Amino acid sequence: MNVFRTEAPGIKTISDVHFPTPQEYTLDNGIKVHAFNLGTQDAVQIDLVFAVSRNQGKNPLVAKAVNELIGEASIQKPSGVLNEAIDFHGAFLESTYSVDHSSVSLFTLTKKLDDVLPLFEEVVLEAVFPERELDIYLKNAKQKFLISQEKVSTLVKRLYSQKLYGDHYYGSRTEPNHFEEVSVADLKEFYENFYTQSNCNIIVSGKFDDSLISGLNRSFGKMIKGKKSNMDDKIFESKSEKHFQEKEGAIQSGVRVGKVLNIAYGTEEYFQLKVLNTILGGYFGSRLMSNIREDKGYTYGIGSSVSFLKNACTFSIATEVGADVTKNTLKEIYYELHKICNEKVSDEELEIVKNYMLGSILKSSDGAFSLAQQYKGVYFLGEDLTFFERYINAISSVTSAQLLSVAQKFLLPETMLEAVVGKMSL
Amino acid sequence: MIGYNKFTLKNGLRVIHHHDESTPIAAFNILYDVGARDEDPNKTGFAHLFEHLMFGGSVNIENFDTPLQLAGGTSNAFTSNDITNYYSTLPKQNLETAFWLDSDRLHQLAFTPKSLEVQRSVVIEEFKQRYLNQPYGDVWLLLRPLAYKTHPYQWATIGKEIKHIEDATMEDVKAFFYKHYGPQNAILCVAGDIELEEVKSLSEKWFGNIDSRTKYERNLPREPKQNEFRELTVERDVPNDAIYMAFHMPARNHKDYYTADLISDILSRGQSSRLFKEYVMENPKFSDVHAYVSGSMEEGLFVFSGNPSDGVTLEEAQEIFWEVIERIQTELVSERELEKVKNKVESSMVFGEMSVLNKAMSLCFYELMGDADLINQEANKYLSVTREDLMRVAKEMFTKENCSVLNYKSKRN
């Protein structure tokens, strides 16, 4: 068969992505359950998400310690017994925390739900933090902390967020002395106040029947009210400064360039900024990757992101580069920022990015688990899945003139904060 | 149970089709039967460098990623000591773009000097980022040559040293391509809401007229049975000591592989595992401790690793590992403990089969092991392991003569 390899096969642009609405339930105590029951595999993920700011603890380590120790011991079961019971049924616990949220998640086969749900209830509602377990945890966490402080990637993240957020709690990080200052009482107070109904939402995804909802009500419908975490403390700007911290012996430098943006979530302008970010550093074919990796070979990877937190929207460029090419990399980063603020994006480039973004959105709609994660991302910022309809429309219709004006409004190089840790030359 | 169809083109390309109508995404996975083990000992890191070059354009297509992104897709690849695996996902209606792109780079790469020059730098930066500029980053660069004296598993995928990557020439690149990248050396899997007939006709159209190349016959030196205890101590500028203890273990297709894997689960999977429960929580000796298997196709490594707590020496840490070993060699694991790790295996398999891409990768891998159907036999192999098997394999595997220890000492202590 003859085949014309120089001719690309025809492609179809994605115009429509289906984001099914979750089923909503309310437990006896008012906790909302958001359910995506459309799995193909007999498995379930249950996320208990607590909207609690990290600054509600006396230092940033408290929120982390509560989150990482939860599941270790309960009122009824000493350390080791509770997680053995969960492990025995083949289930997994995962706990994660960020500046604005703490979550505890359960992953289990659907057929084991009856065995596992009461254990999960115990994990979340009956957690205790014995002195001895806390001591061991703090010692080990400190060792891991000290190891992480050897990495330019960790050090630059710290430097950058300190300078970016200043006195705001987003900028405060765990410090070595915190490990000596955290007590059982601190953890207990944080847990009892905030791992509670006032801050809780439940998101379930996978394949299950209605008995799961009644099970959730039996387990978590009795969760006490607790204290609502105070969340609002918004930041709208950052300083344009340059910070360099030398690290002895480093052969690569960690680099961050970015700023806090004054932009509203889910607006036309926000979606346009997301397109602009993709062009600049949001995918493999982006300008930063094409220039700094694929043309110059300065790095294994470079990217940019727009992340919307409860109290700030941040634009950041991040990379690790050879010490000898750190200065050149910075020069190219500013060159790309300058270019995107001064030249219209070509039709060809815009078409690639639009199609790529629509493909990614389609992929993120694939399956109950992925949908639930997407939903989590928008729900806590006050949106639902109709967000994606508007997002798709905005991507499809954006013009290069609109992008240029958004770039000039938000991405001017002289407004950026720069943080570098490592060496400026070999 | 994962259903699939399988057929072979005249040029030797094996194609697997998996139908999953629940997803709008198609996965296109192509595995090449070449890994770091197939490299010249003086030109290591080459399979991985080559993987980078596969994205640098082919004879009819200037750039691999641009048309794929235009079709709403995305792509990546990884290289291990055993295989090189390329994967793309894209909206199912644009599947043909993946066929076009991947068949052209198998047909013939562009071999542009610029691509080689740039990717050499990129891979050198990767070497620095992952292996040199990280605390404990060079562990595998040290542990592999300690455990393997003859077999090419003695070097890591990234290569023995940066110089090998710097020295790569275009001549090497071409030779490698023609030696390892023939249709008969590849396995393709297409998974998604796509009919078998469509996969057949697209495979024939895009891959059918690529000629077979000389079949590469793998003939690697066998690693002789280790018969001495090996110990290497290094000093590095890291905050804490660390210990790594490696034992040779059965190959991926050996029935005792499953037993060894379950031993590692008993020792180290989850917070109720022996190492964590006993030596992190009950009697704290490590701040972090693990046991795991390398999972390689040929005889691999069973590794213990740990960061001893403050005040615990490397000698004590090693002694603890030997105590843990002795217990599993002399006391039968309880029924409940074995059932626990089997239950974990069952649920991780279900969670691992969630995405079409994971399924496509696994089907190619099992086909390389001998038969795609092995994917459906895997669970039973784990379930049939007995308590006596655990004891027997622990006795066979965990001997002093089969052990290599890396003491990674902190200069600051």
Side-chain angles (χ1 to χ4, degrees):
Chain A
M1 194 189 305
N2 276 328
V3 50
F4 298 100
R5 296 195 173 275
T6 48
E7 259 173 59
I11 54 169
K12 294 196 186 84
T13 306
I14 298 143
S15 50
D16 185 34
V17 181
H18 182 53
F19 278 90
T21 316
Q23 288 160 290
E24 305 276 350
Y25 304 89
T26 306
L27 304 187
D28 290 347
N29 57 358
I31 291 179
K32 283 212 171 82
V33 177
H34 316 262
F36 291 90
N37 187 6
L38 20 92
T40 52
Q41 299 271 76
D42 293 311
V44 177
Q45 175 177 353
I46 304 172
D47 298 319
L48 266 65
V49 185
F50 299 94
V52 47
S53 322
R54 191 167 66 180
N55 67 337
Q56 303 287 330
K58 84 169 177 200
N59 64 43
L61 184 58
V62 175
K64 180 180 155 82
V66 169
N67 192 249
E68 293 186 349
L69 274 170
I70 206 159
E72 184 57 41
S74 69
I75 297 168
Q76 302 174 52
K77 297 190 178 71
S79 175
V81 177
L82 186 55
N83 38 44
E84 195 278 339
I86 293 170
D87 281 343
F88 179 72
H89 294 294
F92 302 79
L93 280 183
E94 198 177 278
S95 53
T96 53
Y97 86 106
S98 68
V99 283
D100 294 321
H101 297 98
S102 293
S103 317
V104 189
S105 303
L106 175 75
F107 299 81
T108 180
L109 297 181
T110 310
K111 65 179 180 187
K112 304 276 187 177
L113 264 172
D114 289 346
D115 295 315
V116 175
L117 201 54
L119 296 167
F120 188 44
E121 174 190 331
E122 226 179 303
V123 165
V124 180
L125 298 190
E126 297 182 21
V128 291
F129 306 96
E131 189 83 48
R132 189 174 171 281
E133 275 75 10
L134 178 62
D135 279 352
I136 294 167
Y137 168 79
L138 289 171
K139 258 188 219 155
N140 295 344
K142 186 172 183 184
Q143 241 195 51
K144 286 177 198 162
F145 171 84
L146 293 174
I147 291 170
S148 74
Q149 298 303 300
E150 301 293 318
K151 302 179 184 177
V152 294
S153 56
T154 308
L155 293 172
V156 77
K157 228 181 282 170
R158 287 176 70 89
L159 179 65
Y160 178 64
S161 63
Q162 278 160 1
K163 300 299 177 189
L164 193 66
Y165 300 120
D167 295 336
H168 191 275
Y169 72 93
Y170 281 3
S172 73
R173 314 290 295 199
T174 299
E175 301 297 337
N177 57 312
H178 293 160
F179 294 92
E180 276 80 53
E181 292 166 3
V182 167
S183 69
V184 168
D186 296 328
L187 268 66
K188 194 164 176 276
E189 189 189 345
F190 188 94
Y191 164 74
E192 285 175 355
N193 282 334
F194 301 115
Y195 277 59
T196 52
Q197 179 267 334
S198 303
N199 305 301
C200 183
N201 270 275
I202 300 179
I203 296 164
V204 290
S205 48
K207 195 171 170 184
F208 48 87
D209 60 34
D210 286 347
S211 68
L212 172 58
I213 307 300
S214 45
L216 287 172
N217 194 40
R218 266 195 308 280
S219 291
F220 301 112
K222 61 189 175 211
M223 192 189 288
I224 57 157
K225 194 161 189 310
K227 189 169 155 190
K228 186 139 185 68
S229 167
N230 182 16
M231 303 284 282
D232 273 348
D233 182 9
K234 299 217 187 305
I235 331 171
F236 301 103
E237 56 180 14
S238 52
K239 291 180 183 152
S240 57
E241 298 171 339
K242 292 185 196 302
H243 295 275
F244 171 64
Q245 183 185 313
E246 178 151 330
K247 182 174 188 304
E248 203 50 51
I251 56 172
Q252 282 194 320
S253 302
V255 173
R256 290 287 185 286
V257 172
K259 66 187 285 197
V260 174
L261 305 167
N262 184 3
I263 193 167
Y265 188 65
T267 55
E268 198 71 7
E269 199 175 54
Y270 173 75
F271 293 132
Q272 291 168 354
L273 181 71
K274 293 286 275 187
V275 176
L276 208 53
N277 173 67
T278 307
I279 293 169
L280 183 70
Y283 74 126
F284 189 83
S286 71
R287 292 179 177 188
L288 289 169
M289 275 294 264
S290 304
N291 178 352
I292 294 168
R293 176 178 142 137
E294 291 297 293
D295 185 60
K296 311 280 190 316
Y298 290 163
T299 180
Y300 178 47
I302 181 165
S304 67
S305 59
V306 173
S307 66
F308 216 104
L309 308 173
K310 194 77 195 170
N311 286 314
C313 178
T314 306
F315 165 79
S316 307
I317 296 171
T319 185
E320 282 164 65
V321 296
D324 54 332
V325 289
T326 304
K327 280 184 190 150
N328 287 346
T329 300
L330 286 164
K331 198 179 111 199
E332 295 303 329
I333 287 174
Y334 290 113
Y335 167 82
E336 292 298 346
L337 283 168
H338 184 265
K339 188 172 152 195
I340 210 161
C341 292
N342 285 283
E343 290 172 28
K344 272 193 186 171
V345 177
S346 72
D347 292 347
E348 197 190 353
E349 186 177 8
L350 187 54
E351 192 193 354
I352 293 170
V353 168
K354 285 182 174 188
N355 289 359
Y356 167 77
M357 289 181 82
L358 294 171
S360 311
I361 294 173
L362 182 71
K363 199 172 166 183
S364 65
S365 77
D366 181 16
F369 293 86
S370 176
L371 271 171
Q373 297 316 306
Q374 297 304 317
Y375 181 73
K376 244 197 277 184
V378 297
Y379 176 77
F380 291 101
L381 294 167
E383 291 278 352
D384 58 29
L385 290 174
T386 58
F387 173 93
F388 288 97
E389 263 168 55
R390 289 173 2 245
Y391 193 11
I392 290 165
N393 289 336
I395 294 169
S396 309
S397 63
V398 71
T399 66
S400 53
Q402 288 170 328
L403 289 175
L404 186 61
S405 85
V406 172
Q408 287 166 352
K409 184 167 174 189
F410 295 107
L411 299 184
L412 291 172
E414 61 272 22
T415 62
M416 298 288 161
L417 173 82
E418 173 188 309
V420 179
V421 175
K423 291 202 156 227
M424 278 294 189
S425 57
L426 267 186
Chain B
M1 173 75 186
I2 293 181
Y4 64 91
N5 299 291
K6 197 164 85 175
F7 57 95
T8 306
L9 301 186
K10 282 201 186 72
N11 57 18
L13 178 72
R14 285 178 271 175
V15 185
I16 300 167
H17 161 254
H18 167 71
H19 192 235
D20 178 349
E21 59 187 17
S22 74
T23 170
I25 299 292
F28 184 101
N29 189 75
I30 187 159
L31 178 156
Y32 289 94
D33 185 7
V34 55
R37 63 177 159 166
D38 300 304
E39 293 163 348
D40 178 333
N42 301 311
K43 293 177 181 180
T44 63
F46 206 87
H48 169 250
L49 173 64
F50 192 87
E51 172 218 310
H52 279 243
L53 298 174
M54 283 284 277
F55 292 89
S58 51
V59 69
N60 296 300
I61 305 167
E62 194 185 332
N63 177 297
F64 181 88
D65 288 283
T66 305
L68 186 67
Q69 287 154 356
L70 190 63
T74 177
S75 180
N76 212 332
F78 63 83
T79 308
S80 72
N81 292 76
D82 294 321
I83 61 167
T84 314
N85 190 77
Y86 299 84
Y87 54 96
S88 302
T89 52
L90 68 177
K92 66 179 180 186
Q93 61 267 38
N94 293 339
L95 173 65
E96 188 165 4
T97 302
F99 272 94
W100 171 58
L101 289 167
D102 253 300
S103 66
D104 201 52
R105 62 180 175 181
L106 173 58
H107 170 62
Q108 200 178 318
L109 267 192
F111 303 120
T112 54
K114 164 92 183 177
S115 174
L116 176 58
E117 186 197 320
V118 169
Q119 294 309 320
R120 266 198 304 243
S121 306
V122 170
V123 171
I124 289 168
E125 291 304 327
E126 183 181 356
F127 202 130
K128 293 181 199 163
Q129 185 173 325
R130 297 173 59 175
Y131 298 85
L132 304 180
N133 207 35
Q134 295 291 340
Y136 315 97
D138 61 345
V139 163
W140 280 97
L141 304 181
L142 299 164
L143 194 56
R144 285 185 172 278
L146 188 66
Y148 292 101
K149 296 298 170 193
T150 310
H151 191 276
Y153 282 167
Q154 67 188 268
W155 57 85
T157 312
I158 195 75
K160 288 180 189 167
E161 49 183 313
I162 285 181
K163 182 148 193 328
H164 282 188
I165 297 157
E166 285 170 343
D167 289 347
T169 67
M170 187 55 84
E171 208 176 304
D172 297 330
V173 172
K174 287 186 180 167
F176 195 86
F177 179 74
Y178 290 109
K179 185 170 175 190
H180 295 291
Y181 279 73
Q184 72 281 38
N185 224 23
I187 300 165
L188 166 66
C189 179
V190 178
D193 187 14
I194 314 282
E195 296 303 323
L196 172 63
E197 287 315 309
E198 191 183 345
V199 173
K200 276 188 175 166
S201 76
L202 288 172
S203 300
E204 195 55 55
K205 174 177 173 186
W206 291 103
F207 285 95
N209 67 354
I210 298 173
D211 291 336
S212 299
R213 295 180 184 134
T214 316
K215 172 84 183 144
Y216 161 70
E217 297 295 341
R218 181 172 286 119
N219 185 15
L220 301 178
R222 266 189 78 89
E223 182 66 24
K225 195 173 158 51
Q226 184 176 336
N227 52 17
E228 61 189 0
F229 176 68
R230 296 174 189 154
E231 194 164 19
L232 171 69
T233 301
V234 297
E235 283 203 349
R236 293 287 188 272
D237 189 18
V238 290
N240 295 99
D241 293 348
I243 181 169
Y244 302 83
M245 220 162 127
F247 298 87
H248 293 277
M249 64 165 276
R252 187 66 182 76
N253 60 3
H254 192 286
K255 69 175 176 43
D256 287 340
Y257 168 84
Y258 300 89
T259 310
D261 196 20
L262 287 182
I263 292 174
S264 77
D265 288 349
I266 283 168
L267 296 180
S268 172
R269 185 165 192 170
Q271 305 233 326
S272 68
S273 63
R274 290 186 178 186
L275 286 170
F276 185 85
K277 182 168 173 280
E278 292 167 25
Y279 295 101
V280 176
M281 296 312 294
E282 286 174 12
N283 176 21
K285 296 289 182 189
F286 292 97
S287 65
D288 207 11
V289 62
H290 300 279
Y292 50 93
V293 301
S294 68
S296 50
M297 299 286 274
E298 297 177 59
E299 289 174 3
L301 295 177
F302 188 113
V303 181
F304 291 81
S305 72
N307 295 52
S309 303
D310 287 342
V312 177
T313 64
L314 287 168
E315 291 73 25
E316 287 170 72
Q318 191 184 145
E319 200 44 52
I320 290 165
F321 285 145
W322 287 115
E323 281 167 27
V324 170
I325 284 169
E326 193 187 327
R327 207 173 120 211
I328 206 158
Q329 286 173 328
T330 54
E331 286 171 33
L332 278 179
V333 165
S334 74
E335 296 276 9
R336 183 176 166 97
E337 204 174 3
L338 179 57
E339 195 180 336
K340 178 187 79 171
V341 291
K342 287 179 175 177
N343 286 342
K344 280 269 183 181
V345 167
E346 184 195 5
S347 58
S348 9
M349 279 184 176
V350 173
F351 278 97
E353 287 166 8
M354 290 286 173
S355 81
V356 272
L357 179 60
N358 283 358
K359 288 188 278 188
M361 282 182 183
S362 296
L363 283 164
C364 286
F365 181 77
Y366 287 109
E367 178 62 21
L368 180 71
M369 284 228 304
D371 186 353
D373 197 53
L374 292 169
I375 198 170
N376 294 318
Q377 301 166 22
E378 199 72 351
N380 272 332
K381 289 182 182 164
Y382 282 104
L383 291 178
S384 66
V385 172
T386 65
R387 299 194 293 157
E388 290 73 19
D389 287 333
L390 295 171
M391 190 187 260
R392 172 181 57 81
V393 172
K395 276 184 187 160
E396 287 166 12
M397 188 166 56
F398 299 138
T399 64
K400 195 120 189 177
E401 309 78 68
N402 190 33
C403 178
S404 303
V405 175
L406 172 63
N407 295 307
Y408 202 100
K409 278 179 98 78
S410 165
K411 264 185 194 167
R412 302 174 205 177
N413 282 356

